[in-house]
Amino acid sequence: MAFWNDQWSAPKQKSRFVVKIGEETLFNVKSVTKPKYSVDVKEYTLLNHKFKYPGIPAWDPITIVFVDPRGQGVHATESKLYEMIMKSGYNIPTAGKDTAIEKASNAELSFENVWSGNSNTGGHGGNILIQQINADGKATDTWSLFGPVIKSISFGDLAYDSDDLVEYTLEVEYDYATFK
């Protein structure tokens, strides 16, 4: 008998997860990739032997896919993602104004404050939490991503031949992740 047929077994399921930015739970997330860790491998040749050594570690970007449950207004997913772009240091070049784009990204403004609706928090910035939950709704595993930076945002596709929900994709780089 397989373990998943055992009544006392409760394997982890892909569909049981919660994503949080700061303290705000995002109920409009359709999917998220979990963190991925990779290490550069350096090769050293000594006579006729090759030896491999670990190089610099890195955390690969995650992807969050959203849907838009509200459809319109300032709380709509599309509005929130656009606000993240504006608060991450980007200024739209307009006539008569300074057209330089600010290069500095402010994670505290672009992540936590946008989703919580609070523009005055002086807290810890926009840490991202990815929690797997069990059948009782309690977190079993938690990934915390620190120093998130927007890598890309896709505002989805539109098509007359589809009744699917519009999906928005946010790709996020981050400094490091911890697991609890």
Side-chain angles (χ1 to χ4, degrees):
M1 179 163 94
F3 75 90
W4 53 82
N5 290 331
D6 181 5
Q7 67 177 353
W8 303 109
S9 176
K12 295 178 184 176
Q13 294 180 318
K14 285 184 165 187
S15 63
R16 293 184 178 159
F17 70 94
V18 172
V19 176
K20 294 181 179 184
I21 294 180
E23 297 298 319
E24 189 71 20
T25 301
L26 306 180
F27 295 106
N28 55 346
V29 174
K30 178 181 176 185
S31 65
V32 63
T33 56
K34 290 169 64 171
K36 179 182 175 188
Y37 175 83
S38 59
V39 177
D40 289 338
V41 176
K42 304 297 181 187
E43 195 172 87
Y44 178 69
T45 304
L46 182 62
L47 296 175
N48 61 347
H49 295 284
K50 292 191 184 263
F51 298 94
K52 294 180 174 55
Y53 294 95
I56 299 172
W59 291 93
D60 295 342
I62 65 161
T63 302
I64 304 172
V65 177
F66 298 90
V67 293
D68 211 341
R70 297 199 171 121
Q72 62 184 3
V74 295
H75 299 294
T77 302
E78 195 165 14
S79 296
K80 291 291 187 183
L81 292 172
Y82 186 75
E83 187 179 350
M84 287 178 74
I85 293 171
M86 294 299 104
K87 290 193 173 184
S88 67
Y90 178 76
N91 289 324
I92 295 175
T94 56
K97 293 186 178 181
D98 182 11
T99 58
I101 297 172
E102 295 179 25
K103 300 267 181 175
S105 176
N106 189 335
E108 184 173 322
L109 291 177
S110 66
F111 279 87
E112 181 177 13
N113 296 342
V114 171
W115 293 100
S116 68
N118 185 358
S119 59
N120 296 318
T121 61
H124 57 290
N127 295 344
I128 297 174
L129 295 178
I130 301 170
Q131 296 179 322
Q132 284 187 257
I133 55 176
N134 61 18
D136 299 327
K138 295 184 179 168
T140 58
D141 301 339
T142 300
W143 281 99
S144 300
L145 284 60
F146 296 89
V149 175
I150 298 169
K151 181 175 181 182
S152 67
I153 296 177
S154 169
F155 290 98
D157 302 334
L158 303 175
Y160 285 115
D161 65 349
S162 175
D163 288 331
D164 294 341
L165 297 175
V166 175
E167 294 180 354
Y168 307 93
T169 305
L170 171 64
E171 193 171 10
V172 179
E173 294 270 4
Y174 52 99
D175 296 330
Y176 64 95
T178 59
F179 178 77
K180 183 173 90 170

